[in-house]
Amino acid sequence: MTKVTRFAPSPTGALHIGGVRTALFNYVYAKQNKGKFLIRVEDTDVERSTKEFEKNILNGLSDIGINPDEPPVRQSERSELYQKAVEKIIDSGNAYYCNCSKERLDQMRAAQQSKGLKPQYDGKCRNLNLKPDSSTVLRLKTPKDGELIFHDLVRGEVIFQNSELDDLILLRSDGSPTYHLCNVVDDFEQGVSTVIRGEDHLSNTPRQIHIQQALGYPSLEYAHLPMVLGQDKKRLSKRNAVTSLQDYFEKGYLESSLINMLARLGWSKGDKEIFYLDDLIDDFRIQEVQKAGAIFDPAKLDWINNHHLAALSFESFKDRLIPFLENAGINYNLKDNSNEIIEAMRSSQPTLLGVAKDLIPYFTQIDSYDEKAANKFLKGSEAVLEFVQRKLNGLEAWNEGSIDHALQEAQTALSLPTPKLNQPIRIAMTGSTQSPSLGLTLSLFDLAEVNNRIDAALKYLANTD
Ligand code: GLU
């Protein structure tokens, strides 16, 4: 049977990286089975759903390359289907109208709780054969005895006692269908074969299976994914991590890195760490997903992004970097050797934003020095700056090799440890102590600019005490 999966976000918030992982696993499972991946917007909660969130979710998925095989559907546009399904359940005798007041339900729940029982509808209206009116809700006649057992691709056999399950409301008193009903009807109508979703939905599954059975729908495959946790082992949220996909794009993480990182949240393949989408389609096995919560480690994402950035051709790297350079106010066309500078700096930071920031001093004048670095290395370095400046001006050829040689000679002549010689020059050239090897750094500028920057550092030293 063709596998059909779906990602069913509720547009009540921006696309969250936990959600992207659910979408990814659905996508990969469908693709590796030559099936279909669908998106369904679950926007029945009109109070909390917005078009902006819907747009944010759909655009985010498309930005990361998780595209559905059919246009997304919206629950808000499918009420006829739910209405028909409700009629079918009523005709089958598997549902009943209930007119219990809120007060009665509250009292009943309080009484159950005071006896230490799980609050649950007591079935008062189950056999009253009430007719619908503006005060009635429609409830599912859930079997009261026995067990509901289903097989979960991640968790194995899952068992619920029917006695623990409520007579679920299918239609509210205003006639609107509830979340569980819509979810079940849509999975059937969209031809879904496999429901892959977060473990937070596990307790919904037996309820939804009862609705399915009442409607005579075929059963589905299920996989409930472990929750994504922050470093503090609590459920991932804005409090313990950056959760919005857009924020990761804005920092310059590649889509492929995010996919790689998300795939590893709860799944692994030996000690292989670097995966692209195509590898996942080959290698991923839903049955190998772990049950325990998966901790999201931002340092690991940096490490992965470093790898993915390094694997890009220079041209692709530069294409991806350009928007970040422009945002950083860098006009890279102004320099003849801009490619050389970018190449020298491309692994300086794990993100494109970081690399662009590091490139600023190579393309624009520096107007300040990192204070800590200046206090530690620049202060008192006048003699070193002047000596090295003289040596550099005496060079016949201006390239990394000849500059390295001059620096070596200066170090021997002044008998200084490397940082004492290199760091003042590095700070004069870039404003901080972070740069590639000093010979390479200097070679990225012409001699006139080196002189300007060393002169500026000497002037700064003359004006500070
Ligand atoms: N709409 C639900 C959510 O956003 C998902 C429901 C499902 O996958 O079945 O959590």
Side-chain angles (χ1 to χ4, degrees):
M1 197 180 82
T2 314
K3 301 280 185 199
V4 180
T5 64
R6 81 323 189 250
F7 177 55
S10 303
T12 53
L15 185 58
H16 178 284
I17 52 172
V20 185
R21 189 204 45 172
T22 303
L24 174 68
F25 284 14
N26 274 289
Y27 179 87
V28 168
Y29 188 72
K31 296 293 147 181
Q32 66 185 190
N33 284 295
K34 313 255 174 302
K36 266 202 286 190
F37 166 70
L38 308 176
I39 295 180
R40 173 170 80 236
V41 180
E42 298 207 318
D43 56 354
T44 45
D45 182 348
V46 279
E47 307 261 292
R48 291 169 60 227
S49 301
T50 71
K51 279 280 163 204
E52 284 69 46
F53 287 138
E54 177 185 316
K55 223 162 108 188
N56 171 285
I57 294 168
L58 297 180
N59 291 347
L61 290 174
S62 135
D63 288 346
I64 205 164
I66 301 181
N67 293 307
D69 293 304
E70 287 174 12
V73 300
R74 271 174 214 89
Q75 289 188 327
S76 56
E77 295 165 2
R78 295 161 69 82
S79 22
E80 268 175 40
L81 291 175
Y82 311 135
Q83 215 46 55
K84 279 206 185 110
V86 162
E87 282 158 23
K88 193 169 169 197
I89 298 194
I90 296 173
D91 290 349
S92 71
N94 284 317
Y96 64 94
Y97 287 100
C98 161
N99 65 1
C100 289
S101 65
K102 183 172 177 307
E103 291 68 36
R104 173 173 190 275
L105 295 174
D106 288 346
Q107 273 170 12
M108 179 196 76
R109 280 195 203 99
Q112 287 167 335
Q113 271 167 329
S114 71
K115 285 190 209 143
L117 298 171
K118 208 171 140 198
Q120 205 180 50
Y121 182 59
D122 60 1
K124 174 172 178 281
C125 300
R126 208 170 151 119
N127 297 313
L128 297 184
N129 213 2
L130 297 175
K131 295 279 164 267
D133 65 33
S134 61
S135 70
T136 53
V137 297
L138 183 75
R139 288 185 185 271
L140 181 73
K141 254 186 209 165
T142 308
K144 285 289 142 217
D145 305 316
E147 295 176 329
L148 188 131
I149 304 176
F150 65 92
H151 180 80
D152 188 284
L153 294 167
V154 173
R155 312 176 70 83
E157 196 175 66
V158 182
I159 305 177
F160 283 87
Q161 300 303 318
N162 284 333
S163 57
E164 302 256 302
L165 304 171
D166 230 340
D167 277 355
L168 210 65
I169 297 180
L170 302 173
L171 282 186
R172 300 185 189 91
S173 55
D174 64 2
S176 62
T178 55
Y179 162 73
H180 289 298
L181 176 77
C182 301
N183 186 282
V184 170
V185 172
D186 281 329
D187 280 340
F188 172 73
E189 294 290 342
Q190 292 189 282
V192 169
S193 68
T194 312
V195 171
I196 303 173
R197 59 188 175 190
E199 193 193 296
D200 48 338
H201 288 283
L202 189 65
S203 62
N204 291 336
T205 302
R207 298 179 164 85
Q208 295 178 350
I209 291 178
H210 279 310
I211 303 179
Q212 254 166 40
Q213 291 176 345
L215 280 162
Y217 292 166
S219 47
L220 304 177
E221 262 187 331
Y222 289 94
H224 288 89
L225 306 174
M227 291 285 106
V228 182
L229 309 176
Q231 296 281 86
D232 56 2
K233 303 211 169 75
K234 299 215 169 86
R235 207 172 146 174
L236 197 73
S237 74
K238 281 187 199 150
R239 276 185 301 280
N240 58 12
V242 175
T243 56
S244 132
L245 186 63
Q246 200 51 40
D247 287 348
Y248 285 97
F249 288 146
E250 282 167 16
K251 288 198 168 89
Y253 290 96
L254 298 176
E255 302 77 14
S256 64
S257 310
L258 288 160
I259 286 194
N260 189 157
M261 188 272 299
L262 292 170
R264 293 284 287 96
L265 288 176
W267 174 77
S268 58
K269 185 179 163 71
D271 48 17
K272 188 170 166 183
E273 291 287 358
I274 300 299
F275 294 91
Y276 288 81
L277 197 48
D278 285 348
D279 302 321
L280 289 174
I281 293 170
D282 288 342
D283 292 341
F284 178 74
R285 293 291 171 269
I286 190 99
Q287 295 81 353
E288 291 169 2
V289 170
Q290 69 188 37
K291 285 192 216 139
I295 297 177
F296 167 62
D297 175 4
K300 181 82 175 281
L301 174 60
D302 280 350
W303 182 85
I304 290 173
N305 204 43
N306 245 325
H307 276 262
H308 284 243
L309 286 173
L312 294 179
S313 67
F314 177 74
E315 282 313 315
S316 311
F317 178 82
K318 189 173 161 188
D319 283 348
R320 299 302 306 257
L321 184 67
I322 285 173
F324 292 88
L325 294 179
E326 286 169 353
N327 270 343
I330 293 174
N331 185 348
Y332 55 92
N333 290 320
L334 283 184
K335 289 227 170 189
D336 295 339
N337 66 338
S338 63
N339 283 355
E340 200 190 330
I341 299 175
I342 293 171
E343 181 64 44
M345 295 294 291
R346 68 180 272 183
S347 58
S348 72
Q349 295 288 338
T351 62
L352 292 166
L353 180 68
V355 174
K357 277 196 180 147
D358 276 4
L359 280 167
I360 294 174
Y362 294 85
F363 288 93
T364 57
Q365 293 301 316
I366 42 176
D367 49 19
S368 63
Y369 301 111
D370 176 82
E371 203 181 308
K372 235 167 97 193
N375 286 339
K376 187 161 176 202
F377 293 111
L378 203 54
K379 281 213 171 129
S381 72
E382 290 86 344
V384 174
L385 290 171
E386 281 164 3
F387 189 89
V388 172
Q389 187 176 27
R390 264 200 311 279
K391 275 289 286 165
L392 295 175
N393 279 283
L395 283 177
E396 275 171 25
W398 186 251
N399 57 49
E400 186 182 346
S402 66
I403 298 170
D404 270 341
H405 189 69
L407 291 170
Q408 279 288 320
E409 284 185 353
Q411 189 173 351
T412 313
L414 297 173
S415 65
L416 285 173
T418 311
K420 286 254 177 230
L421 184 102
N422 284 10
Q423 296 298 44
I425 316 280
R426 195 173 259 124
I427 297 166
M429 295 309 300
T430 67
S432 81
T433 51
Q434 303 296 318
S435 87
S437 82
L438 187 57
L440 174 59
T441 305
L442 286 162
S443 76
L444 298 174
F445 297 90
D446 59 24
L447 182 59
E449 188 56 24
V450 171
N451 278 322
N452 286 341
R453 293 193 182 201
I454 295 181
D455 288 346
L458 287 166
K459 203 161 141 204
Y460 162 86
L461 288 173
N463 292 331
T464 41
D465 34 51

